[in-house]
Amino acid sequence: MFAATIRLARAVEPVGRSLFFLAAAAVAAMLTAPAFAHDATPTAAMPQGWSYPFSCCANYDCRTTHTGEVLEKPEGYVIAGTGEVVPMTDKRIKDSPDGEFHWCAHQAGLDAGKTICLFVPPRSY
C-alpha cells in the first residue's frame, strides 16, 4: 500500500507543478498593464486631443513643440535644440492631425535627444 501511495504522489507531482506555472502565468498576465501611448494636448484644431502612436511614444517621449524648436530648411526639418536634421522623406516624419509640430525623442540613454517621430503640419496650414 505504501508503494502505491508513493507512485500516486509521483504521478501527481508534474500535474501540480504545471498547474502552479499556469496559475502564475495567469496572475502575471492580469497584473501586466496594456501598453498605451499618451495623448497630445487638445488644440483649437483638435479640441478632443489625439493619441500619439505607441511606436513613437512610450508614454512620455512626445510633446508639442514651441515656436522655433523645429525649423523647416531645404535639407529637412532641423531640431533647434539638438541640431539634428530629419530629412523630409524620412520614415519618422508623420502627418500632424492638429496642424502643430510634435516631437517624439528618446529621453535618456545613448540616444537621448534623438528623434523617434516628428509630426509635421501639412504645408496648407
Side-chain angles (χ1 to χ4, degrees):
M1 175 99 139
F2 182 69
T5 304
I6 292 175
R7 273 185 270 147
L8 180 61
R10 286 187 183 154
V12 171
E13 186 177 304
V15 173
R17 197 175 308 142
S18 297
L19 287 175
F20 172 77
F21 286 118
L22 183 63
V27 168
M30 287 187 291
L31 294 178
T32 304
F36 295 112
H38 72 93
D39 294 333
T41 306
T43 62
M46 298 282 293
Q48 300 300 319
W50 55 281
S51 293
Y52 296 110
F54 187 72
S55 61
C56 293
C57 169
N59 265 351
Y60 57 88
D61 294 323
C62 297
R63 64 178 180 80
T64 305
T65 63
H66 299 292
T67 303
E69 280 188 275
V70 178
L71 307 169
E72 189 174 336
K73 303 266 183 152
E75 62 272 15
Y77 296 99
V78 178
I79 311 301
T82 64
E84 180 183 13
V85 177
V86 182
M88 293 180 186
T89 57
D90 195 294
K91 66 180 180 178
R92 297 175 292 172
I93 301 294
K94 313 286 185 204
D95 291 331
S96 175
D98 64 359
E100 304 284 333
F101 281 100
H102 297 262
W103 183 44
C104 305
H106 295 279
Q107 300 299 310
L110 296 175
D111 290 335
K114 300 242 176 168
T115 300
I116 302 168
C117 292
L118 182 64
F119 292 88
V120 300
R123 292 187 177 255
S124 62
Y125 270 88

